[in-house]
């Protein structure tokens, strides 16, 4: 038996743990621990800036990895809540309250994102679950802009065919933009010969959301 | 670790129960407890020893249960929650999906050899999602308010319940009648059979002929019939015995055709009724009120089937 030294229990308890868990080659995140002391405003502004940068990437899609590398779910949540509130009907016009419509949009959005992500992973894509949900959520941004345009048009008292055509075109443009943006981000993670199989559910997902927007006729 | 526990308890920051065994840390004196404590001085030491033993025993048992529960849950998750179970059924190429979609409407002449049934779930899942989207599209073509929340959830539930329920029923029947089909193959076959339904609903919504169901019935017979014949020929090639063949083929064809009828009458009927009301009344106030009422009655309407 080799000589093994047993430390006294008392000695061990007196020595405080120190040192760092570092991985060679990765920059150490020493400044992360200092974010606890900063003012709340700084934290919020930093997060909002990150969300804003991602919206910018979605609106001008180039093949960048910013959305994938630093994914977050704030942007999708903001978009989902915004769309659910805008698509809610007025309580005065309908017999039921606006609750089910808010819940419906919420459920469609998140369940749709989960289903599309599962399909992507099952087809052999090398992307993590939350990255995919993040990209799908952020790419709804053009459709939200189309929803704002539709709502503005619906303010007019008389709805003519021309106004309906404008709304329709706005939603179609938003739908195409969303699908194109998500393709730009998600395409590389798919095996090359199965891109169509992965893109079809994304197409359906944005189609359903576009349909919800275009069919929302009461202001 | 066990033999260092005594030194641990003397040095850690957690409150040591041996020191405060006498008081219960309340701010006020509890007179009724002191008299009892004075009388049982000698038994107090063994009492607290038993208490601490019991406490330690409890903690050990809790820990053991927690550990074993955690292990079992992790094992169960690894077995059932693992996506890799489903991965082989999504291993398809686009051209395969395309050819299977086309062939789902082309019945093959029954011959002696068994017809191949793919074990694939991607195609059926996409067809079902397309069917749900088409039902939503159909319900919105008339420009009036329908309770889209109720109908969207209903169409989701209906489509998935049909796919899973009908496949389960056919699986039970094929087990009884000795048909050589696995559950995945049945799921795949019934799923591809819904492709015809998508075509019929799409065409029926685009070419909207109100007051006349003849167009729909023609589509139902042709497209629905073709997809049913395809499934029937698959089942025939894998079953032996006249009675068994009739049972399973009859069940498959009936489920397929009746589901298409149900989709038409449960969803299309609402649209048609409301468009009738609008066309005949030409009064937006009355029509709105009726439209809201009709929307509220959508659940009731689902159970009624009008004569064609």
């Amino acid at each position: 038996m080799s000589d093994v030294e047993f430390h006294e229990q008392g000695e061990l308890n007196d020595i405080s743990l120190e040192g760092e868990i570092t991985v060679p080659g990765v920059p150490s995140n020493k400044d992360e621990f200092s974010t606890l002391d900063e003012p709340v405003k700084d934290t919020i502004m930093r997060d909002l800036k990150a969300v804003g940068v991602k919206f910018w990437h979605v609106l001008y899609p180039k093949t960048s990895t910013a959305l994938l590398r630093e994914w977050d779910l704030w942007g999708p949540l903001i978009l989902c809540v915004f769309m659910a509130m805008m698509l809610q009907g007025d309580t005065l016009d309908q017999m039921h309250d606006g609750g089910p419509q808010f819940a419906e949009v919420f459920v469609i959005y998140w369940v749709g994102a989960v289903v599309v992500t599962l399909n992507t992973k099952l087809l052999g894509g090398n992307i993590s679950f939350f990255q995919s949900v993040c990209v799908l959520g952020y790419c709804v941004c053009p459709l939200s802009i189309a929803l704002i345009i539709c709502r503005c048009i619906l303010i007019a008292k008389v709805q003519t065919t021309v106004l309906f055509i404008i709304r329709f075109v706005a939603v179609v443009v938003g739908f195409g933009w969303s699908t194109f943006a998500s393709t730009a981000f998600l395409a590389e993670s798919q095996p090359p010969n199965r891109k169509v199989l992965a893109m079809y559910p994304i197409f359906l997902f944005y189609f359903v959301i576009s349909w919800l927007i275009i069919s929302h006729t009461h202001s | 670790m066990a033999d260092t526990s005594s030194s641990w308890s003397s040095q850690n920051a957690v409150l040591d129960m041996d020191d405060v065994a006498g008081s219960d840390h309340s701010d006020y004196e509890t007179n009724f407890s002191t008299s009892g404590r004075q009388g049982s001085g000698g038994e107090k030491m063994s009492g607290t020893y038993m208490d601490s033993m019991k406490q330690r025993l409890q903690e050990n048992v809790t820990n053991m249960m927690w550990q074993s529960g955690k292990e079992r849950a992790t094992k169960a998750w690894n077995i059932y929650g693992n996506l890799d179970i489903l991965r082989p059924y999504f291993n398809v190429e686009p051209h395969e999906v395309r050819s299977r979609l086309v062939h789902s409407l082309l019945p093959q002449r029954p011959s002696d050899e068994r017809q191949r049934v793919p074990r694939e779930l991607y195609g059926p899942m996409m067809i079902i999602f397309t069917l749900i989207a088409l039902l939503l599209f159909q319900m919105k073509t008339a420009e009036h308010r329908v309770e889209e929340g109720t109908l969207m959830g209903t169409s989701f539930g209906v489509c998935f319940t049909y796919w899973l329920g009908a496949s389960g029923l056919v699986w039970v029947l094929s087990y009884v009648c000795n048909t050589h089909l696995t559950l995945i193959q049945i799921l795949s076959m019934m799923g591809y059979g819904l492709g015809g339904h998508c075509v019929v609903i799409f065409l029926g919504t685009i070419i909207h002929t109100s007051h006349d169901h003849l167009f729909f019935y023609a589509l139902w017979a042709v497209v629905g019939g073709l997809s049913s014949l395809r499934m029937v020929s698959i089942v025939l090639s894998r079953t032996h015995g006249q009675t068994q063949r009739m049972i399973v083929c009859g069940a498959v064809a009936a489920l397929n055709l009746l589901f298409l009828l149900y989709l038409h009458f449960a969803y299309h009927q609402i649209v048609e009724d409301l468009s009738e009301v609008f066309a005949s009344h030409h009064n937006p106030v009355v029509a709105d009120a009726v439209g809201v009422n009709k929307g509220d009655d959508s659940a009731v309407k689902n159970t009624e089937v009008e004569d064609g």
Side-chain angles (χ1 to χ4, degrees):
Chain A
M1 282 280 286
S2 55
D3 284 341
V4 179
E5 227 180 41
F6 286 102
H7 290 279
E8 285 287 300
Q9 194 63 27
E11 275 179 20
L12 275 179
N13 285 335
D14 288 340
I15 301 170
S16 62
L17 284 177
E18 55 188 344
E20 304 172 343
I21 302 173
T22 52
V23 178
V26 170
S28 65
N29 298 330
K30 274 213 167 88
D31 49 359
E32 259 192 30
F33 293 101
S34 65
T35 61
L36 274 175
D37 295 330
E38 65 180 11
V40 171
K41 187 176 85 118
D42 286 351
T43 314
I44 292 180
M45 289 311 293
R46 193 179 56 237
D47 284 341
L48 277 180
K49 214 167 143 185
V51 167
V53 162
K54 293 198 185 80
F55 279 144
W56 181 255
H57 277 291
V58 166
L59 289 175
Y60 291 99
K62 319 178 272 281
T63 46
S64 73
T65 52
L67 247 76
L68 290 176
R69 250 182 307 137
E70 300 144 2
W71 59 267
D72 71 81
L73 292 178
W74 281 115
L77 181 67
I78 292 172
L79 283 174
C80 177
V81 169
F82 171 72
M83 284 187 57
M85 284 191 334
M86 296 282 276
L87 286 174
Q88 201 172 329
D90 277 335
T91 51
L92 296 172
D93 287 346
Q94 293 178 352
M95 297 298 215
H96 62 88
D97 59 355
Q101 286 173 315
F102 186 95
E104 176 206 354
V105 174
F106 227 84
V107 165
I108 290 176
Y109 191 99
W110 291 105
V111 169
V114 165
V115 163
V116 173
T117 304
L118 282 179
N119 176 69
T120 309
K121 285 185 76 71
L122 282 169
L123 282 173
N126 58 347
I127 190 174
S128 92
F129 182 81
F130 286 113
Q131 279 174 337
S132 175
V133 171
C134 164
V135 168
L136 286 169
Y138 269 105
C139 289
V140 174
C141 181
L143 280 169
S144 303
I145 298 175
L147 174 61
I148 295 173
I149 297 175
C150 285
R151 265 306 259 252
C152 293
I153 292 179
L154 280 172
I155 292 175
K157 289 259 183 287
V158 178
Q159 291 298 314
T160 64
T161 316
V162 174
L163 288 179
F164 174 72
I165 289 177
I166 298 176
R167 280 197 300 134
F168 185 75
V169 166
V171 171
V172 165
V173 166
F175 166 63
W177 201 339
S178 293
T179 313
F180 173 68
S182 65
T183 313
F185 290 116
L186 290 177
E188 284 93 36
S189 63
Q190 291 301 314
N193 50 343
R194 291 192 189 172
K195 286 202 172 43
V196 176
L197 297 183
M199 286 303 134
Y200 181 69
I202 299 176
F203 167 86
L204 267 184
F205 175 59
Y206 290 131
F207 178 80
V208 169
I209 294 185
S210 315
W211 199 250
L212 284 177
I213 294 175
I214 191 72
S215 61
H216 180 75
T217 48
H218 41 268
S219 52
Chain B
M1 279 304 279
D3 48 8
T4 58
S5 58
S6 52
S7 57
W8 261 104
S9 57
S10 63
Q11 289 174 17
N12 57 11
V14 175
L15 203 58
D16 206 347
M17 291 311 289
D18 291 337
D19 290 337
V20 296
S23 82
D24 56 356
H25 280 278
S26 54
D27 284 337
Y28 51 90
E29 294 279 359
T30 49
N31 287 325
F32 51 82
S33 57
T34 48
S35 58
R37 228 179 269 131
Q38 281 163 8
S40 61
E43 295 160 356
K44 190 176 63 158
M45 289 306 293
S46 61
T48 52
Y49 179 68
M50 284 304 295
D51 284 339
S52 66
M53 273 287 293
K54 273 189 209 163
Q55 199 178 3
R56 236 179 253 164
L57 205 64
Q58 246 179 1
E59 281 168 13
N60 278 346
V61 168
T62 317
N63 276 342
M64 264 170 46
M65 280 185 53
W66 172 254
Q67 283 299 324
S68 73
K70 204 166 107 164
E71 275 171 25
R72 287 232 190 116
T74 321
K75 262 192 227 165
W77 174 254
N78 283 340
I79 291 175
Y80 294 113
N82 205 354
L83 267 186
D84 287 334
I85 298 174
L86 293 175
R87 222 180 264 274
Y89 306 125
F90 281 74
N91 196 14
V92 287
E93 305 293 320
H95 64 89
E96 283 176 9
V97 176
R98 210 172 33 234
S99 75
R100 282 172 195 167
L101 277 173
V102 170
H103 283 292
S104 72
L105 290 176
L106 302 174
Q108 273 185 351
R109 197 176 289 259
S111 62
D112 280 339
E113 61 184 45
R114 278 188 198 177
Q115 295 187 12
R116 296 176 57 89
V117 183
R119 288 175 206 225
E120 179 215 330
L121 288 179
Y122 174 82
M125 300 266 318
M126 289 306 121
I127 288 177
I128 289 182
F129 286 127
T130 312
L131 188 62
I132 293 171
L134 279 173
L135 284 176
L136 195 65
F137 173 57
Q138 181 191 45
M139 290 182 289
K140 283 292 180 186
T141 41
E143 286 160 10
H144 56 268
R145 282 175 248 142
V146 187
E147 285 186 23
E148 61 257 30
T150 316
L151 289 171
M152 175 74 178
T154 314
S155 65
F156 208 86
V158 159
C159 290
F160 269 101
T161 307
Y162 166 78
W163 184 47
L164 297 171
S167 303
L169 178 63
V170 169
W171 181 63
V172 166
L173 284 177
S174 66
Y175 178 77
V176 166
C177 300
N178 203 19
T179 307
H180 301 283
L181 279 173
T182 63
L183 179 60
I184 296 285
Q185 284 174 317
I186 294 175
L187 280 170
S188 185
M189 184 179 75
M190 303 288 284
Y192 273 112
L194 288 175
H197 291 42
C198 290
V199 170
V200 172
I201 292 193
F202 180 65
L203 287 176
T205 315
I206 300 256
I207 308 171
H208 183 66
T209 61
S210 46
H211 313 291
D212 186 9
H213 290 280
L214 189 62
F215 180 64
F216 166 74
Y217 278 127
L219 277 179
W220 175 72
V222 170
V223 180
L226 279 177
S227 66
S228 302
L229 273 178
R230 162 83 178 161
M231 292 201 282
V232 159
S233 68
I234 290 176
V235 170
L236 277 178
S237 71
R238 288 170 172 256
T239 318
H240 306 288
Q242 277 300 103
T243 324
Q244 288 94 319
R245 278 179 171 181
M246 269 173 37
I247 292 174
V248 185
C249 293
V252 164
L255 284 167
N256 207 32
L257 293 170
L258 287 177
F259 184 58
L260 186 51
L261 275 182
Y262 171 75
L263 283 180
H264 174 80
F265 283 109
Y267 292 94
H268 187 78
Q269 196 62 30
I270 303 170
V271 171
E272 203 188 83
D273 280 347
L274 289 160
S275 64
E276 263 184 45
V277 166
F278 290 151
S280 59
H281 283 239
H282 292 292
N283 192 346
V285 175
V286 173
D288 270 351
V290 175
V292 169
N293 287 335
K294 288 265 181 186
D296 286 337
D297 290 339
S298 64
V300 174
K301 269 273 183 240
N302 280 344
T303 60
E304 293 175 346
V305 176
E306 281 196 14
D307 293 333

